[in-house]
Every structure is written in structure tokens, then in C-alpha cells.
Amino acid sequence: MKGIPKELKLYLTFLSIASIALLAYLSLNYELINTTSFIILSILMIIAETFLIQLPGIGAVSVSFALSFAAIIISGPLTASLITAIGVALRRPYVERRGYVHIFNSPPYKTIYNTSQSILCAGLSGILYIYIQTNFAYLGVVGDTMALIFTVIAYVILNTSIMTLLIKFLNGGKIIAIWGENFKGVFLNAAAIGLLGIIVAFTYNNYGIGSVVLFFVPLMLARYSFKLYVDMRKNYMETVKALINAVEAKDPYTSGHASRVGKYAVEIGKELGVSSFELDKIKNAALLHDIGKIGVDDRILNKTKGLNNLEYEVIKNHPSTGYEIIKEIEFLKGSIDIVKHHHERWDGKGYPDGLKGEEISQLVSILTIADSFDAMTTDRPYRKAFSFKKAVFEIENNAGTQFNPNIVDDAIKALGKCIHVDKVNKEMVS
């Protein structure tokens, strides 16, 4: 594990020892399913893990949880832990830009981490299932239902918590923020796949292991349908990125502007306690807020002197043009109004609709500050970049006129953190 941060080494060591200890405990206290079923379930688990679906950012999903959950119900935590660990260790998924990834071309610490995580999640949630079922057997169906529900919840909490700590040790950040950003909505997905696991267990108990193999086909079809959705969303975002690149190619002074504004807006949102769902909206809006400039003449965009009245009116059209470009993209519905109104002012003197005060949503107000801050702190054709101190002075000076005075203090605090992190990162690279 050469080159790995000390904290991460300790974390991986702890996971390894904990998983080995748990496996030893399970071996002494629980039975393993019969050999034939164990081999078949392991093969199916390897296939399911191989066909996992990569998600944007960190992480992936697969239907393998259905098999893990089914194994817990059928045979208990020992079987579930072992087949899950085998599936994770021997999988061979295709990862974009890397090709097929397997145990022989992956760093050993990754294999150790993934295998340890799978043993801990399946083993501990399996123990919980047996405990609830045993102690609440007198409740009958209610007891069984409780066991199933709490097992799914425990599995998801363990899985995402272990992943959250990994991300923290790799990239830093606050635990709650990392969890919200990377794993929101995961319970609904887990519940759906968990339901499939119950059906797999029912099928096995009534018709044997052969029926599980047959049921695996529709299980993989469900995976295929979800992958189509993920691919469609990915294609949308790639189209959006192409449009952003086209805008930035027209105006070299704004290169990287959209991504920086997105970073600032998200950090301001977090400082204000905005939900992860709303953060998604503002991040997408930040990336697309200047998309309307694609229709603005290059000579106006790159003019080194002040704009005349006619040129200024042309520039003022870009929020409305951006709105028209993205309004039909379904997954951006929550961002289109933010894009349209990011040049509105608190005093009502903005454009295109002249909104005033509380008529302007908090998300729009956040983007307005983030956009203005980045514009001030980067070189423009007609002036040099402001210092952080000067940009902050301008934001404070325009609170209540250009900017929402209710969020200015929190926004400045968040921007200060961003600048500090950027400075530290530059020092680490140099």
C-alpha cells in the first residue's frame, strides 16, 4: 500500500481485520448452504458483479444485492458473506477508460477493501436478520417483515458508511455532506432490489436452485433497463458538456468558468443547509448558466472595451436563450428557471424579468453570487482579476442591491473555504 495516506492505510487495515474476525465468528456459529447451491450462487454473484453499472462520480450499482439478500434469507450470514466476497473478488467489470478490471490488474488494497466491505455488510446485516427473526418470531408475518426491512436498512447504512469514510480519507470533506452527495436516493434503489431478493429466496425455497438460475434472467433484464436509463442521462450530460465547451471556445476568458461557478454555488448551498436534491439543481444550472452565449456574436463576447447600448441588449438576451435551449431536457427541469434568472438583482434592476427581493429564489441568489465572484476573480478582456479581499468587499457593498442580503455572510464564508482549499491543493501539487 505504498503511496497511500496513513489514515487510509489504518482504515483499510481495520476493515481487513474486522472482516476476518467476522468471518471466523460466522464460521463457528452458522451453517453453510449445500455445496451445489453455494457454487451456483457464487457463479451468479460473479456475473451480477461483473455487469455492475458505473454511476457518475464514485460508485456503481448492481443487482448482486438481490442475491446477497436472498442468501441471508435462505441460509444465513455465512453463505451471504462468502458468495458476496467471491463475487466482488472475482468480478470482471468493464470500466470506461480502463477496460476490463479484475483482481490481477487492480491494486491489492482495492481488492482487500472491496472484499472486506462485502463480508462486513452481508455478515452483519445477516446477523441482524437472524436476531430479529428469532426474537420476534411470535409476531409471525409482522416479525418476518420487520426482519426484512431492518436488514435492508442495515445493509445500506453499513455499505454507504464504509464508502463515505473511504471517500473522506481519499478526498477530505464532511461525512454528512459526502454521504448526501454520493448516496442520496440509495434506499429506494435498495428496497427495489431487496424485493427481488425476497422473490429469489421464495423461488429457491419452493422450487430449488434451478429456479433461481431461471429467475436470474429477468433479474439481469432489470439491470439492463436501468443501464439504459443511466446511459441516456449520461448522453444528455455529454451533450450539455459539448455545448459548454462550445461557449468557452467562443470566449477563451471564460474557460473553466462554468465548473468554478458550480463549485462555488454548491459550497454556498451547503453552507446554507440546502438539501442534496436542491444542490443537484444548482450544480446543473451553474454548468449551464451561460449556455445562451452560444448565440452571441464573438466580437461582442471578446470586446476589450465597454459595450454600447445595442451590444449590451444582445448580451442581456443570453439567460432567456439558455432557457430556451435546455427547457425540453426532462432531467434539467429543476434548473431551467435558475438559468433564466441568474442575472436578476435584489433591487429589481436585473434581467430578463426584473424580479425583485423575495421573488428571486434562494437558488438563483446563490448562483448570482457564485457567478459574480468568479467573474470578479478571473482576468477579463477589459481588466485584471480582483483579489479575494476586493471581490468580497464588492459582494458586501452590493448586498441588498445586486445580491440577496440574507445569504451574503454565509456565501462569503463558503467562498473563503473554497479559496483556501484551492490554495492548499496548488501547494501540494507544486
Side-chain angles (χ1 to χ4, degrees):
M1 295 192 288
K2 194 175 180 180
I4 301 173
K6 184 179 178 181
E7 282 187 333
L8 183 55
K9 282 184 182 179
L10 291 172
Y11 181 57
L12 294 175
T13 302
F14 169 77
L15 289 179
S16 302
I17 294 172
S19 63
I20 292 169
L22 177 61
L23 205 54
Y25 171 81
L26 296 177
S27 300
L28 294 172
N29 291 277
Y30 296 94
E31 296 292 326
L32 194 64
I33 201 169
N34 67 74
T35 304
T36 302
S37 295
F38 180 80
I39 292 171
I40 292 174
L41 285 174
S42 296
I43 292 171
L44 295 180
M45 182 64 75
I46 294 169
I47 295 170
E49 281 290 333
T50 293
F51 288 96
L52 54 78
I53 302 169
Q54 291 291 325
L55 298 177
I58 296 177
V61 296
S62 76
V63 294
S64 62
F65 173 56
L67 295 174
S68 296
F69 194 39
I72 289 172
I73 299 170
I74 295 166
S75 180
L78 178 60
T79 299
S81 294
L82 288 175
I83 68 165
T84 306
I86 290 169
V88 168
L90 301 183
R91 65 189 177 188
R92 195 172 181 265
Y94 180 83
V95 178
E96 195 172 343
R97 298 187 184 91
R98 290 182 60 194
Y100 289 99
V101 177
H102 48 80
I103 192 172
F104 299 110
N105 67 1
S106 296
Y109 76 87
K110 287 189 176 181
T111 302
I112 292 169
Y113 165 78
N114 289 325
T115 306
S116 299
Q117 181 194 35
S118 64
I119 292 170
L120 291 170
C121 292
L124 292 174
S125 57
I127 291 172
L128 178 66
Y129 176 78
I130 299 295
Y131 175 82
I132 295 175
Q133 230 198 8
T134 302
N135 286 275
F136 294 90
Y138 64 90
L139 294 176
V141 175
V142 175
D144 288 341
T145 304
M146 283 173 55
L148 293 170
I149 292 172
F150 282 106
T151 301
V152 171
I153 293 172
Y155 194 105
V156 172
I157 290 174
L158 283 167
N159 195 14
T160 56
S161 297
I162 292 170
M163 276 290 292
T164 296
L165 287 172
L166 176 69
I167 297 169
K168 176 178 173 57
F169 291 134
L170 284 171
N171 303 324
K174 295 180 180 178
I175 290 175
I176 294 176
I178 294 169
W179 194 94
E181 187 174 341
N182 291 278
F183 305 113
K184 60 183 179 296
V186 73
F187 281 99
L188 185 60
N189 178 65
I193 297 178
L195 183 60
L196 293 175
I198 295 171
I199 297 172
V200 170
F202 175 83
T203 303
Y204 176 88
N205 288 330
N206 286 275
Y207 304 105
I209 191 64
S211 62
V212 174
V213 176
L214 291 175
F215 185 80
F216 190 69
V217 176
L219 195 62
M220 293 305 290
L221 286 175
R223 173 260 176 205
Y224 177 71
S225 298
F226 183 67
K227 187 173 188 307
L228 288 178
Y229 165 76
V230 171
D231 287 345
M232 179 184 69
R233 188 179 174 94
K234 180 184 173 185
N235 290 336
Y236 271 136
M237 288 310 298
E238 286 179 349
T239 302
V240 165
K241 287 177 182 176
L243 289 171
I244 294 167
N245 291 337
V247 172
E248 295 191 344
K250 284 167 66 70
D251 183 4
Y253 286 93
T254 63
S255 179
H257 172 66
S259 60
R260 289 193 302 272
V261 172
K263 178 179 69 175
Y264 297 148
V266 167
E267 289 306 314
I268 294 171
K270 288 178 181 177
E271 193 68 37
L272 290 165
V274 171
S275 70
S276 56
F277 180 70
E278 298 287 281
L279 288 177
D280 256 358
K281 290 182 185 179
I282 198 166
K283 184 177 181 180
N284 288 332
L287 291 174
L288 295 163
H289 73 284
D290 277 340
I291 201 74
K293 286 185 178 178
I294 202 167
V296 178
D297 192 301
D298 293 3
R299 290 170 296 182
I300 297 176
L301 283 178
N302 298 317
K303 193 171 181 181
T304 57
K305 297 180 180 179
L307 302 176
N308 62 39
N309 289 338
L310 181 59
E311 290 167 337
Y312 184 55
E313 289 301 318
V314 171
I315 284 288
K316 284 169 65 176
N317 285 329
H318 83 267
S320 297
T321 303
Y323 172 88
E324 292 297 326
I325 290 172
I326 67 171
K327 69 178 183 180
E328 298 302 326
I329 301 177
E330 185 62 33
F331 81 92
L332 294 174
K333 290 291 185 185
S335 302
I336 55 176
D337 285 332
I338 307 174
V339 169
K340 185 177 182 180
H341 295 133
H342 73 276
H343 276 293
E344 300 289 355
R345 292 172 52 105
W346 193 254
D347 59 10
K349 295 179 181 178
Y351 57 87
D353 295 331
L355 300 182
K356 183 178 181 180
E358 297 297 339
E359 294 174 347
I360 303 170
S361 74
Q362 185 185 59
L363 297 186
V364 170
S365 296
I366 290 170
L367 181 56
T368 300
I369 293 177
D371 183 32
S372 299
F373 176 78
D374 188 68
M376 287 188 283
T377 54
T378 51
D379 290 333
R380 309 298 293 168
Y382 46 87
R383 61 152 176 81
K384 287 303 231 179
F386 288 5
S387 66
F388 174 75
K389 188 175 181 179
K390 185 175 180 181
V392 166
F393 173 78
E394 289 295 324
I395 293 172
E396 290 176 330
N397 201 42
N398 286 281
T401 52
Q402 183 177 357
F403 306 118
N404 181 345
N406 302 317
I407 70 168
V408 161
D409 290 342
D410 288 317
I412 290 171
K413 186 177 178 182
L415 292 170
K417 291 177 183 177
C418 287
I419 296 301
H420 174 71
V421 169
D422 288 345
K423 184 179 179 181
V424 170
N425 289 339
K426 285 179 182 178
E427 289 174 351
M428 290 176 67
V429 172
S430 60

